[in-house]
Structures are given as structure tokens and as C-alpha cells.
Amino acid sequence: MNVVYRGAEATLYRDKYLGIPVIKKERKPKKYRIREIDDIIRKERIKKEVKMLKKAREVVKTPHTLQVNLKDHSIVMEELEGSTIKKRIEENQENPQKLGREIGKMIRGLHDKNIAHNDLTTSNMIRKGGEIFLIDFGMAEDTHRIENKAMDLLVFKKMLKSTHWKVDREIWENMKKGYRDEKTIKKLKEIEERARYL
Amino acid sequence: MNCLGIESTAHTLGIGITKKEEVVANERSIYKPSPGKGIVPSEAAKHHSKTKKKVLEDALKKANIEKEDLDIVAVASGPGLPPCLLEGVKLAKKLSNQLKIPLVPVNHCIAHIEIGKKDCKSKDPLVQYVSGGNTQIISQSGNLYRIYGETLDIGIGNAFDKFARNLGLQMPGGPKIMQLAKKGENYIPLPYTVKGMDLAFSGLVTEATRKSENAEKEDIAYSFQETALSMLIEVTERALAHTKKEELLLTGGVAANTRLQEMNQLMAKEHQADFYVPKREYCGDNGAMIAYTGYIYREKNQDPKEVDINPTWRPNTYKIPLPK
């Protein structure tokens, strides 16, 4: 198996499963943290990911899970041939207005299903064909609280500001148009106003 | 060209001098709160006011120059505690007016980054900046330092100090927790709060304090430290994978924590990134970093009348002069 990507959460390998090309996502032990913390986090996140992926699949595009192995903390998923939205924005392959609205609609779908993703970055969004696939549900939570949904948006907004500073406002304004939920946006403003720095 | 830098954002009154890019003096005096207490801003400001004359004299003597040989004065005008910042800015304005030399306001966080880069010969790092009041994951993109992740409530150093005080330990609490943690063996589960690349420490402090009543001090200190630092490394790792930077620079007062250094080293290695920690005297608050940054950013000099303190100054608003 060859390493395709070494992320913060997991390492991805290219593999074959019943003859089809797949990706094995393995949450390897982190050498920097003690075993007790490492065990809790890896176990919790893989369970969460499997559960939330299943729920999320009803409203967003996400790769199919083919096999879950709790022993080595790995998930086998269908392989996604595409590139990250991060890379595509950097290479000017995305229209910020269209992209913003598209992402807004996608997040709204999740939130209506009471899912907060909690790591909404453009590294976790992959364009395949005409559609955006969302990955990495390890930190996601099942929540009806508007506060959690607003925090989810805040993570995305701050990521835009740091990573895509040339087009962050354009994407964000259009994200709001696609998201179309004034109540959550209002809550987000409240959180920002009481935040430490903003 | 001689630049004098004044640091007074929190408990340290530091005055440093650089000759072009070389540090030739780095003197300081540190305010120590009374036992069992945290920093009292007005008391710290009094300390700075009382000691500045002596620290300034020491710095000039160390650099072996006269006041009149100075060409630029730089001051950390934020972020920090307002009464403390005022003392530094007052002194800077006085020197600038008296000697008729330009005044350069410097962002304290950026000064930590710039001196760290210089000391470690690092070019384009992802920076883990950890101190009492600040906890940020920062990196340059375009002509600004961008904040990728940060604490949503208190700084990690402050979290260590608060928890130490709750355990009845004297300030500074960070080193004492680290020492106790070395003897801890049993992990007690504690809240772990991470949101994307951001993190929060208040819940951890509260719960660790509550659980400390029925646990060995060493064990709870160990569990607290491991949890807080694991959270920090996790968000840093996420930012490293996201930005694809090839260098990691640890700086700020909390960089003195050897367990934190060890964890960063292990994490960086997995991503084939080079890991750097500046010399101890440049990790804590110091005047040399303000002098050095003032010198390399000297084109940002301002009319002394317009310079004011900026207690909540975010580093991502301070434009970096790019090579022309």
C-alpha cells in the first residue's frame, strides 16, 4: 500500500478492495501524545466519523464507506478522483461567487440535519465531476444547538480569512446567500462580538 | 544604524539594542506578583516605571554606546495590558522627541516571530506562539502574517498559571506544573476542546481543579499538561498539513516547557518539517526582539504624536515590508 496523503488526522493509502481501487484511511497512533489520550481520541473519532458519515450522506456528497476496522482504527472508502477546493482556489479554477453559494447550500443541508462538521476547511472539500464532496467527519457532532452550528460557520470563516485572503470576502458573502439562515448568521455575529480578539 | 527597542506589554520591562541586524544588548527587569496572586496590571506598570531608568542605562552600557548614538527607537505598542503598554510608549516618545529620531511602533507577537526566525535561520515557518496571554498558530502568506488557529478563551500560559494557583502553587505556575507532571504516572481523563484549528482551555482548568481534590498532585498535573499540550499540538499539526509549510517554529514564554518541545519535535518529524526553538532569552518577552523588528520594519516609522497604545492589536493587520 502506498501513502497518498499524510494529514493531521490520518494517513491515506491507496489499496484494492474486492478488486476496486479504494482509499484506506488509518488513524495511526500519534507518537507525541500519551497512549491514554491517543486511544480515547482515535476510538472516539473513528466511531463518530462512521456514524456521522452515514447521517451526512443523506444530504451531502461524501465517499462511500466500504469497511470499518476498529482494531487498527481504519476506514476503507471509495477512491475520489478529484482535487481539493483549496488547491482549485489557489489555481484560479473556482468561481468564488458560485463556489460560495454552493458551499453555503451544502453546509445548510448539514445543519438542517443537525450535523456540525467542526472542521470545515477547503482541504476537506473535494471537487469531483461537477460536485463537491465533503470528507473528514471525525470531529463532527450530532447537535440541534444553533450555537454549535454558528461555531461551525466561524471555523470556516476564519479559515477563509487566513488561507484564501484574496477571495475570502467574496466567498463568504456568497456562502451566506447559499446558506440562507438568518438566525444562525445572527448567532455567529453574537459569538464574534464576544470573542477574545475579533 | 542603532535601534533601541522597548518591551513592556506584560510583566517584563525589556530594553534591547541592535546594531543593524545584530543584537548588542538585551536587558530586562521582571515584575513578580505577590505570592498566590496573578499579575496586577497597575502594579506591573509601577514596576516598569520604577525600573526603566536602570534597565535603559544597563542596555546602553552593554551596547557600549551613548544615548546620542541611537538612530531609531522602537516600542511594542500592543497587544498587551494597557497600563504596562503606556509606560513603554511614554518612554519611547520621550526618547524619540529628545533625540529627534524616528519612532517605530512594533506588534509584540510579530516581534516574537521575527527574532525567532532570525535566531533559528528559519525562512517561512508555521509559528506556534505560546505565552501567558497569547496562543496562536500563525504563518505568513502574501504581505501579512495570517492566524490559522488560536485560543478562543485564555492563553495556554495563563491556563497553566491559573491551574497552578488553584493547586496552591506559587507563580510562575507553568514551570511548577511541568516539574510535578514529570512525577505523574496515572492519567485522569479531562476535557479536550478543539474546534477546527482553534482551541479552548477554561473547561480544562475548571475540571482539572475539581478533580484535583481526589487525586495525587503529580497525577493531576501530568494529566492537565498532557491534555493541554496534546490539544495544542493537534491544532498545530492540522495547520501544518493545511498550509503545507516545511518549518515549524515554537516561540513565546511557554516554549520553555521541555515536554512541549519534545512533542513538537515528534510531530514535525512525521511531516518531514524542520523544528526550531529560539534561544531562551528570545522566547520570553524581551527588548531585543522589539529593537530588531523595529530595525527591519523601520520604514513604518510614525510621527511620535500619532503613536498610541493598541491593547488588542492583531498580528494579521500589520503589513510586512516585502523585499522590493
Side-chain angles (χ1 to χ4, degrees), chain A residues 5-9 29-34 36-37 40-41 45 86 118-119 121-123 139 141 148 151 155 158-159 161-163 165 196-198, chain B residues 133-134 136 141-142 146-148 150-153 187 192 194-196 198 222 226-227 230 233-234 237-238 241-242 259 263 266-267 270-271 314 316:
Chain A
Y5 178 70
R6 204 180 299 271
E9 271 296 296
K30 296 282 182 194
K31 286 190 195 112
Y32 68 78
R33 61 192 173 207
I34 56 172
E36 291 90 334
I37 294 180
I40 295 171
I41 290 179
R45 297 221 173 132
K86 175 171 184 261
N118 286 336
D119 192 17
T121 68
T122 46
S123 298
M139 312 231 289
E141 61 187 324
N148 294 341
M151 274 303 294
V155 165
K158 289 176 78 170
M159 184 279 316
K161 195 176 172 195
S162 59
T163 311
W165 44 275
R196 196 166 174 266
Y197 292 115
L198 300 171
Chain B
N134 298 293
Q136 292 175 324
S141 176
R146 318 271 165 183
I147 302 167
Y148 289 87
E150 65 189 323
T151 178
L152 298 169
D153 49 28
Y187 178 73
Y192 184 101
V194 162
K195 292 260 177 200
D198 289 339
Y222 167 70
E226 287 299 326
T227 307
S230 294
I233 304 288
E234 182 186 341
E237 184 175 23
R238 191 162 294 129
H242 181 72
R259 175 67 178 137
M263 289 165 96
L266 289 167
M267 183 272 281
E270 279 185 30
H271 292 268
R314 306 259 296 160
N316 57 356

Side-chain angles (χ1 to χ4, degrees), chain A residues 5-157:
Chain A
Y5 178 70
R6 204 180 299 271
E9 271 296 296
T11 307
L12 306 187
Y13 303 91
R14 192 165 279 134
D15 200 3
K16 284 254 158 107
Y17 179 77
L18 303 174
I20 37 168
V22 292
I23 291 289
K24 182 175 177 184
K25 173 176 178 174
E26 192 178 337
R27 285 192 162 77
K28 296 201 156 229
K30 296 282 182 194
K31 286 190 195 112
Y32 68 78
R33 61 192 173 207
I34 56 172
R35 212 199 63 235
E36 291 90 334
I37 294 180
D38 197 61
D39 282 349
I40 295 171
I41 290 179
R42 285 158 69 219
K43 211 168 280 168
E44 207 175 79
R45 297 221 173 132
I46 192 173
K47 278 190 189 159
K48 239 184 196 174
E49 174 151 38
V50 173
K51 187 179 151 211
M52 299 311 287
L53 266 175
K54 199 174 158 204
K55 210 176 157 193
R57 191 162 299 120
E58 294 169 28
V59 284
V60 296
K61 286 277 176 187
T62 181
H64 282 282
T65 312
L66 303 169
Q67 194 185 41
V68 179
N69 190 342
L70 288 176
K71 258 195 199 135
D72 69 354
H73 302 83
S74 73
I75 303 178
V76 173
M77 303 179 281
E78 66 171 317
E79 187 176 355
L80 273 186
E81 299 267 5
S83 48
T84 65
I85 294 293
K86 175 171 184 261
K87 195 166 166 233
R88 289 180 56 89
I89 294 174
E90 284 164 359
E91 290 171 357
N92 288 322
Q93 292 175 35
E94 289 286 338
N95 171 337
Q97 298 186 354
K98 235 180 98 197
L99 175 69
R101 273 199 295 273
E102 212 178 333
I103 292 174
K105 265 186 219 156
M106 178 177 78
I107 303 177
R108 174 69 188 269
L110 282 178
H111 288 181
D112 281 348
K113 264 261 162 205
N114 289 332
I115 300 167
H117 180 277
N118 286 336
D119 192 17
L120 287 172
T121 68
T122 46
S123 298
N124 285 336
M125 298 172 191
I126 291 163
R127 172 83 68 196
K128 185 199 169 195
E131 291 172 302
I132 298 178
F133 283 68
L134 187 62
I135 58 168
D136 260 343
F137 281 78
M139 312 231 289
E141 61 187 324
D142 198 331
T143 178
H144 64 274
R145 288 185 60 207
I146 186 165
E147 178 115 356
N148 294 341
K149 294 174 188 175
M151 274 303 294
D152 206 22
L153 292 179
L154 183 61
V155 165
F156 181 67
K157 188 180 179 187

Side-chain angles (χ1 to χ4, degrees), chain B residues 158-179:
Chain B
N158 194 344
F160 269 77
D161 284 345
K162 269 193 179 164
F163 178 56
R165 281 207 301 279
N166 294 346
L167 287 185
L169 303 169
Q170 303 221 331
M171 293 281 277
K176 298 209 173 67
I177 297 286
M178 184 175 84
Q179 290 310 326

Side-chain angles (χ1 to χ4, degrees), chain A residues 162-174:
Chain A
S162 59
T163 311
H164 303 295
W165 44 275
K166 283 180 191 155
V167 286
D168 66 320
R169 290 212 181 103
E170 219 178 337
I171 296 180
W172 178 253
E173 288 310 315
N174 285 284

